[in-house]
Amino acid sequence: DNVADWLSFGMGTDLDRDADGYTADVDCDDDDSSVNPGAAEICDSVDNDCNGLADDDDSGLDTSTASSWYIDSDSDGYGDPTLAQVACDAPSGYVADGTDCDDRAAGVNPAASEICDAIDNDCDSDIDDDDSSVDTSTMTTWYIDYDSDSYGSTTYTELSCSQPAGYVADATDCD
């Protein structure tokens, strides 16, 4: 009969047959052999282990199939690399990019422009004059002070974030 044929293919065992010779249906998707009560729950939006819970809602989730998400406190799209959570889907307030160097300031992140403000705005470990990518429009023009009287000449100028030695901000030296 059909039950005997089905059992002969190894689809059931004597332990899961009832008194009439049928097996108890504990498989939640007979069309997918990878979905069954013995399967591991993985991140794929499917209840793989037939316990009624899928992905992050299932405490038995195989976290090796999940992603790391980083808290983004300043909502700039870059998260704090020290505050991560492993999950299938991004928790509220978390992002996939964990490269923010100051998650308290939205203007400080790897996509920001370095400006003259004594802060590493672009997260590259270089600050202001030490950063070759500094936005020159934020720099100050400094004027050489030949005679150290605190008044500079326009003969020689220096564009930088901080005052170079021998230069001043006032270009009104008449001698």
Side-chain angles (χ1 to χ4, degrees), residues 19-94:
D20 295 328
Y22 292 95
T23 60
D25 189 9
V26 292
D27 190 347
C28 57
D29 188 349
D30 287 333
D31 294 328
D32 187 344
S33 63
S34 67
V35 175
N36 62 71
E41 185 64 37
I42 61 171
C43 291
D44 63 357
S45 301
V46 173
D47 178 14
N48 306 97
D49 58 6
C50 299
N51 69 351
L53 302 171
D55 297 351
D56 291 326
D57 294 331
D58 192 331
S59 63
L61 174 70
D62 176 358
T63 57
S64 71
T65 66
S67 299
S68 291
W69 302 95
Y70 305 90
I71 188 90
D72 183 14
S73 300
D74 58 12
S75 300
D76 62 1
Y78 297 89
D80 184 335
T82 65
L83 297 173
Q85 183 172 341
V86 176
C88 296
D89 298 314
S92 179
Y94 284 71

Side-chain angles (χ1 to χ4, degrees), residues 82-145:
T82 65
L83 297 173
Q85 183 172 341
V86 176
C88 296
D89 298 314
S92 179
Y94 284 71
V95 295
D97 187 316
T99 59
D100 204 335
C101 59
D102 185 351
D103 202 39
R104 298 166 296 165
V108 176
N109 61 65
S113 294
E114 185 68 33
I115 60 173
C116 294
D117 63 355
I119 296 172
D120 180 15
N121 308 95
D122 59 4
C123 298
D124 67 356
S125 299
D126 292 325
I127 299 173
D128 296 352
D129 289 322
D130 294 330
D131 194 328
S132 61
S133 69
V134 68
D135 180 353
T136 57
S137 71
T138 66
M139 293 178 142
T140 301
T141 300
W142 302 95
Y143 304 93
I144 192 141
D145 182 10

